[in-house]
Amino acid sequence: MITSKLPNVGTTIFTRMSQLATETGALNLSQGFPDFDGPQALRDAVGHHIASGHNQYSPMTGLPALRVQVAAKIARSYGVSVDADTEVTITPGATQAIFCAIQSVIHAGDEVIVFDPCYDSYEPSVELAGGRCVHVQLGLDDFSIDWQKLEEALTPRTRMIILNSPHNPSGALISRAELDTLAALIADRDIYIISDEVYEHLVFDGMPHVSVLSHPELYHRAFVVSSFGKTYHVTGWKTGYVVAPAALTAELRKVHQYVSFCGVTPLQYALADFMETHPEHVEELPAFYQAKRDLFCDLLSPSRFTFKPVAGTYFQLVDYSHIRPDLNDVDMAVWLTREHGVATIPVSVFYQSPPEGQRLVRLCFAKREETLRDAAEKLCVI
């Protein structure tokens, strides 16, 4: 008999909805990946480095040239200096980075605060470390942090708080004032932070991304995680990184070396080359994705869905209360896929206890213009 360490975990909703989209031939606006490719120069660089023989293990901490480029990008983006050798670690994806960060500091009996709706990998990682997640629900209208609820959730066993900004699935952003509030709230407590910032460069309408990297009071206790896959349109490369103070990085690397040891070598070489020669790519991303958001929202405006354009990420939430209020969001997502040819993600899966009566699904707009037009046409006739 197998005694499962994750008895409540099955196949993720992302896999199930993508599989249903394949089975039915629906447009897949569920799982968060582009249907267009990354930059040609970046893809060419991979072939070059494979042909050049860069196919063996990279250093456990990540290719030095790539860590240098990450540090340089952080300096340009946030005006802060991090040590490429002692504070930057390249990982096979952001999910692995989050897992290793949790395993490195969470012990049996520790509590980790997560904000619902939250990404589904957080809780299993905490449980595997012997910890327990404490769920604090974000505001229903704007997905902001309820500071009273957060303060009430803190106990002597609280060892970590996981932030996510820009926020998946809502696109909400955390402000500098909110980071200040958090810093004051935990100033005298032994609490670590994971700041999941994988959508850091997908922030719209002229708003800044406020990174924990730029907040000294929080950074000294934080693991800040990001994703090359999201930034460079290559999610299948599963390459990310984590930035943390030297002492925390040392603990994270102890775990990382036994999970994967290192990332994929030629991909790291290619990313280092591209980041050095095309630093403008990051600067152009907000306008690139805002144009897609604006187009998609304009195309959906005649529909019976209600929504507010998101502030960040490449996901748009829509409320279907005026269409099928009789369906919960999981059934609605299946109905939209089977009957109308558009696969979505139900927002309730991001909650421990979904709000009563919430009728939201998430659509990914990291798609070609023709895909967005086709999807909107299907959704507008419902």
Side-chain angles (χ1 to χ4, degrees):
M1 295 290 292
I2 297 174
T3 302
S4 176
K5 297 185 73 173
L6 295 172
N8 300 316
V9 172
T11 304
T12 71
I13 190 68
F14 310 103
T15 297
R16 299 203 309 270
M17 292 309 300
S18 286
Q19 182 176 345
L20 185 59
T22 300
E23 292 172 359
T24 60
L27 296 172
N28 190 358
L29 271 60
S30 59
Q31 199 167 0
F33 60 83
D35 68 348
F36 50 88
D37 226 331
Q40 184 67 52
L42 177 60
R43 289 181 282 135
D44 289 344
V46 177
H48 166 73
H49 285 291
I50 290 174
S52 298
H54 294 146
N55 301 303
Q56 308 309 324
Y57 293 127
S58 63
M60 178 269 288
T61 58
L63 193 73
L66 183 53
R67 287 187 280 109
V68 167
Q69 288 304 316
V70 168
K73 187 203 73 166
I74 289 170
R76 291 193 305 270
S77 298
Y78 308 119
V80 296
S81 176
V82 298
D83 190 296
D85 291 327
T86 63
E87 296 180 77
V88 180
T89 305
I90 309 301
T91 61
T95 301
Q96 193 254 32
I98 292 168
F99 179 86
C100 291
I102 290 169
Q103 300 302 315
S104 67
V105 295
I106 296 302
H107 297 263
D110 286 346
E111 293 178 350
V112 176
I113 291 177
V114 297
F115 295 101
D116 282 1
C118 71
Y119 190 60
D120 68 343
S121 82
Y122 301 159
E123 189 155 23
S125 299
V126 171
E127 291 178 353
L128 288 171
R132 182 178 77 89
C133 277
V134 175
H135 294 257
V136 175
Q137 189 170 292
L138 296 173
L140 291 179
D141 294 328
D142 60 0
F143 296 92
S144 62
I145 295 173
D146 184 321
W147 295 101
Q148 182 176 345
K149 286 183 179 179
L150 174 57
E151 187 168 8
E152 291 170 353
L154 294 172
T155 76
R157 293 181 298 278
T158 305
R159 197 61 58 229
M160 176 178 281
I161 297 172
I162 301 182
L163 303 175
N164 177 206
S165 179
H167 179 253
N168 178 16
S170 75
L173 308 177
I174 292 178
S175 68
R176 174 70 190 209
E178 287 177 303
L179 291 185
D180 289 342
T181 300
L182 177 61
L185 189 61
I186 65 174
D188 299 322
R189 296 176 180 265
D190 183 19
I191 293 175
Y192 300 104
I193 299 289
I194 287 180
S195 188
D196 179 352
E197 302 184 15
V198 298
Y199 300 101
E200 60 177 321
H201 300 298
L202 281 62
V203 179
F204 312 133
D205 303 312
M207 295 292 291
H209 168 58
V210 181
S211 175
V212 166
L213 289 166
S214 63
H215 197 290
E217 291 175 79
L218 291 179
Y219 177 63
H220 85 274
R221 61 172 83 209
F223 302 89
V224 182
V225 177
S226 196
S227 166
F228 297 110
K230 301 293 192 302
T231 299
Y232 296 99
H233 320 310
V234 285
T235 60
W237 288 15
K238 289 301 297 177
T239 305
Y241 61 90
V242 56
V243 185
L248 290 182
T249 292
E251 293 304 309
L252 173 126
R253 288 173 176 176
K254 291 177 184 179
V255 178
H256 161 69
Q257 68 183 338
Y258 293 116
V259 174
S260 62
F261 182 75
C262 67
V264 180
T265 301
L267 302 185
Q268 294 187 58
Y269 272 98
L271 285 163
D273 286 355
F274 188 80
M275 291 179 74
E276 182 178 16
T277 56
H278 295 279
E280 75 283 357
H281 175 88
V282 164
E283 299 166 6
E284 294 168 353
L285 267 187
F288 175 81
Y289 273 115
Q290 182 173 334
K292 291 186 177 295
R293 181 206 67 174
D294 292 347
L295 172 65
F296 194 43
C297 288
D298 287 346
L299 292 170
L300 285 179
S301 60
S303 76
R304 292 196 291 158
F305 293 98
T306 57
F307 57 88
K308 179 182 178 181
V310 292
T313 76
Y314 47 47
F315 301 115
Q316 178 65 50
L317 296 188
V318 296
D319 189 311
Y320 63 89
S321 297
H322 299 305
I323 301 172
R324 290 296 306 268
D326 58 309
L327 296 181
N328 65 41
D329 61 353
V330 175
D331 291 339
M332 182 67 175
V334 173
W335 182 75
L336 286 171
T337 306
R338 292 193 181 278
E339 302 299 326
H340 295 279
V342 179
T344 66
I345 292 292
V347 172
S348 65
V349 301
F350 295 90
Y351 286 90
Q352 181 186 51
S353 300
E356 187 70 28
Q358 189 181 72
R359 294 291 183 264
L360 296 174
V361 293
R362 190 196 78 176
L363 303 165
C364 176
F365 57 81
K367 308 296 178 184
R368 294 169 293 149
E369 180 176 334
E370 54 265 40
T371 304
L372 297 177
R373 290 188 180 278
D374 288 348
E377 183 177 355
K378 294 175 182 292
L379 295 171
C380 283
V381 299
I382 301 173

